[in-house]
Amino acid sequence: MLPKLIKYILAETPKSQETEIFGWVRTKRDMKNLIFIEVSDGSCFSCIQCAFDRSAGLDKNTEDALSALTTGASVKIKGRLVPSPASGQAVEIAAESLLIIGSAPAENECGKTPLLDVPAYPLQKKRHSLEFLREIAHLRPRTNTFAAVARLRSFLSFAIHRYFREKDFHYLHTPIITSGDCEGAGAMFQVTTLDPAVMKQSADGSSDYTRDFFGKKTFLTVSGQLEAEAYASALSRVYTFGPTFRAENSNTTRHLAEFWMVEPEAAFFELEDNMALAEDFIKSVLKAVLDECGDEMKFFDSFIEKGIIENLQKVAQAEFTHITYTEAVKELEKAASSDSGLFEYKPCWGSDLQSEHEKFLTEKIIKGPVIVTDYPKGIKAFYMKMNDDEKTVRAMDVLVPRLGEIIGGSQREDNLEKLIRRMNEIKLKTRDYSWYIDLRRYGSVPHSGFGLGFERFVQYICGMANIRDVIPFPRTAGQAEF
Ligand code: 4AD
Ligand code: MG
């Protein structure tokens, strides 16, 4: 029989039924005859309390195990489920036997562990800094914070799949290795089996990739969008949800080199439909989290970001504000002119909005989520649909307080001539994108899509300040441990 998870045991009616639990010891309190052990199996927030009563007579193995038991050890405990006299918990285990499955050496009074070369279990009962916990990313899921983030992340990805399934979007698996640069930003990780030290040069001095594994230069994908467009041009509505990679050397609290992206792409959707989808998507998934992750959300509200539940409830109800990039820049310029020290970078039409501008816009000007549209073509990717002004494109970014950009998307250029003209303008080799251009040759339709940074969404929901703390094993410039 499979072990029963603690979250189910805690929900049972205590009738002195025989119960067996498995988990890791969080605390041990030895009070002469009574010994209390709190055990967690990560299935829920609460630990289960196991009370050993020495005066009732315990077997020798259990007595020995109790004296050897330390925080972090894995255990199997048998006993009876009884009402708990303590406040804050309905039930506890009147424990009869204890088996240590795996010990976790602790420091003794001399600051040494019994086994000389085994360092002590680092998660002792005190508050550890998030920076310290990042160094022990393999053990941090045993803390309340990281267990809660992990459960939230898991639920959130399920809720996202459920949302798109209910809206008739098909889940599409796009390749991780690619030869194209979707965003044209050049921040890609190269994938090669060639040894750079012995790489042959072609006659023109450039490296010869014909001998490489794929016979050409390849990279880890920055986005599954282009391939998603191909499938949206056949199945109408698709979405991807997978890892994406960016070799941006930006050491910020909202950038990772490896992150997960959710990218819906829909045929016969114009920019307005795309905005409506993004808003409905965010609100529906937020509602699902608030309804179904109550314990985790209460924890984040108490310990990570006060008031976050109320804030997200409001967002899930309110209408998102829409503003064009041109209007947004005017607002930012106005704010900057009345306070010269407000921004590090001066807002200016034609330059990308800096994170400080995005945050000011959503936190101070709009005071809530905002969708910014119609950005200058020069700061957006080649595939975005040109507006009649020939200066701006049908782009949309969703900005939220605390983070700034959480979604980037657009209506796509579906006109063959215009797409080719734009690609030539910015010197993209059309022959490298011939299959993508084909989509405009054969049965082209208006279509749109967007990308949501999954980790930013997790950050937004749980209030964690640093993106490194919402992905199990973060990859950033200079950091690929574990
Ligand atoms: O705005 P981006 O670059 O858009 C695209 O990649 C489009 N191809 C998406 C589409 O239209 N299908 O990225 C989309 C989102 C951003 O809004 C941000 O939330 C997240 O991905 N993102 C990152 N998250 C963590 N670390 C990074 N380095 C990120 N770069 C982008
Ligand atoms: Mg973007």
Side-chain angles (χ1 to χ4, degrees):
M1 220 177 45
L2 289 176
K4 207 185 251 180
L5 291 171
I6 289 172
K7 70 169 182 174
Y8 295 115
I9 298 174
L10 288 171
E12 284 180 24
T13 311
K15 290 182 283 197
S16 282
Q17 62 270 45
E18 287 273 338
T19 303
E20 196 174 70
I21 61 134
F22 295 83
W24 294 267
V25 173
R26 281 289 180 87
T27 58
K28 170 180 152 189
R29 274 180 302 141
D30 200 330
M31 305 166 76
K32 277 215 168 129
N33 274 341
L34 276 179
I35 299 167
F36 294 104
I37 296 170
E38 298 272 349
V39 180
S40 160
D41 68 359
S43 63
C44 61
F45 246 102
S46 310
C47 291
I48 192 159
Q49 174 163 288
C50 303
F52 290 84
D53 184 355
R54 279 201 178 107
S55 63
L58 298 170
D59 64 56
K60 167 97 174 50
N61 289 344
T62 297
E63 279 287 3
D64 292 348
L66 275 173
S67 3
L69 192 67
T70 51
T71 301
S74 52
V75 293
K76 168 174 156 178
I77 293 174
K78 278 191 196 171
R80 287 167 298 101
L81 193 71
V82 296
S84 176
S87 66
Q89 58 198 24
V91 298
E92 65 178 39
I93 306 269
E96 286 150 10
S97 81
L98 165 69
L99 174 73
I100 298 180
I101 299 173
S103 63
E107 281 182 0
N108 58 24
E109 302 79 49
C110 324
K112 298 260 162 57
T113 57
L115 302 165
L116 274 181
D117 34 352
V118 179
Y121 181 61
L123 289 172
Q124 296 306 325
K125 195 174 166 62
K126 61 169 185 174
R127 253 189 125 107
H128 296 285
S129 73
L130 295 173
E131 289 75 21
F132 168 71
L133 291 172
R134 240 169 262 151
E135 289 168 18
I136 50 163
H138 58 308
L139 296 173
R140 66 181 182 169
R142 298 194 201 177
T143 64
N144 281 342
T145 304
F146 286 91
V149 170
R151 284 190 299 267
L152 173 75
R153 213 184 136 99
S154 163
F155 175 80
L156 195 59
S157 75
F158 161 76
I160 288 171
H161 283 297
R162 183 171 65 186
Y163 175 83
F164 283 119
R165 187 171 173 78
E166 284 170 1
K167 298 279 175 201
D168 294 305
F169 280 71
H170 298 284
Y171 179 28
L172 175 71
H173 302 104
T174 47
I176 303 284
I177 298 175
T178 166
S179 57
D181 178 358
C182 171
E183 291 306 298
M188 300 180 89
F189 289 102
Q190 193 177 345
V191 175
T192 179
T193 52
L194 294 178
D195 179 350
V198 294
M199 202 128 84
K200 272 230 180 79
Q201 306 269 299
S202 311
D204 66 354
S206 62
S207 300
D208 178 9
Y209 288 99
T210 54
R211 291 178 318 113
D212 203 349
F213 189 89
F214 296 103
K216 64 196 320 195
K217 213 169 171 181
T218 51
F219 306 90
L220 294 177
T221 188
V222 296
S223 158
Q225 178 198 319
L226 303 191
E227 290 89 352
E229 283 185 57
Y231 269 70
S233 304
L235 303 185
S236 288
R237 293 176 196 182
V238 297
Y239 71 102
T240 72
F241 187 172
T244 45
F245 306 86
R246 306 231 171 146
E248 297 163 292
N249 205 348
S250 39
N251 184 17
T252 77
T253 54
R254 53 174 218 159
H255 285 91
L256 290 165
E258 177 180 301
F259 63 100
W260 286 64
M261 200 173 1
V262 181
E263 296 185 273
E265 190 70 33
F268 313 105
F269 267 46
E270 308 219 348
L271 187 68
E272 291 67 24
D273 308 306
N274 204 29
M275 289 196 275
L277 176 71
E279 179 171 344
D280 185 61
F281 164 64
I282 289 188
K283 288 179 178 176
S284 304
V285 175
L286 282 184
K287 278 186 202 135
V289 169
L290 291 165
D291 286 350
E292 297 173 62
C293 293
D295 288 348
E296 281 74 20
M297 289 313 301
K298 270 186 226 141
F299 175 86
F300 297 133
D301 199 299
S302 310
F303 298 105
I304 307 293
E305 172 86 22
K306 296 249 178 309
I308 197 157
I309 293 183
E310 200 191 328
N311 179 265
L312 295 180
Q313 274 164 345
K314 273 198 213 136
V315 170
Q317 304 300 332
E319 281 203 6
F320 288 12
T321 305
H322 296 180
I323 186 173
T324 65
Y325 166 90
T326 303
E327 289 160 353
V329 169
K330 270 192 205 133
E331 290 287 337
L332 292 166
E333 281 172 340
K334 208 161 48 174
S337 68
S338 55
D339 177 358
S340 60
L342 187 60
F343 299 123
E344 188 182 342
Y345 299 92
K346 222 174 128 210
C348 143
W349 201 98
S351 335
D352 210 353
L353 297 181
Q354 297 294 321
S355 165
E356 56 175 349
H357 303 145
E358 292 177 347
K359 284 190 197 156
F360 189 82
L361 192 63
T362 160
E363 288 169 5
K364 301 287 187 311
I365 300 179
I366 309 289
K367 302 189 174 67
V370 54
I371 311 186
V372 184
T373 60
D374 304 289
Y375 283 73
K377 65 178 180 183
I379 54 170
K380 288 293 183 186
F382 73 95
Y383 51 71
M384 297 194 182
K385 188 167 180 65
M386 193 69 70
N387 277 316
D388 292 340
D389 64 9
E390 299 274 330
K391 286 195 194 107
T392 57
V393 287
R394 308 232 73 200
M396 56 166 240
D397 276 9
V398 180
L399 316 181
V400 294
R402 286 189 277 117
L403 288 174
E405 178 187 345
I406 193 165
I407 280 181
S410 72
Q411 183 166 343
R412 319 306 187 190
E413 185 55 81
D414 52 293
N415 179 289
L416 179 66
E417 285 73 38
K418 285 188 186 170
L419 179 66
I420 293 179
R421 201 187 318 140
R422 182 71 189 137
M423 292 179 81
N424 288 333
E425 230 170 68
I426 56 173
K427 302 200 168 44
L428 275 184
K429 290 187 193 131
T430 47
R431 78 181 125 85
D432 291 347
Y433 295 85
S434 61
W435 67 268
Y436 183 73
I437 295 169
D438 265 358
L439 302 174
R440 280 73 184 161
R441 263 190 199 110
Y442 311 123
S444 185
V445 291
H447 62 287
S448 305
F450 63 80
L452 164 96
F454 183 61
E455 284 72 22
R456 292 205 188 161
F457 200 24
V458 180
Q459 270 189 291
Y460 183 57
I461 293 173
C462 68
M464 294 296 274
N466 195 316
I467 199 164
R468 292 167 180 81
D469 297 330
V470 298
I471 187 163
F473 299 102
R475 269 83 182 93
T476 52
Q479 181 58 246
E481 281 307 308
F482 309 100

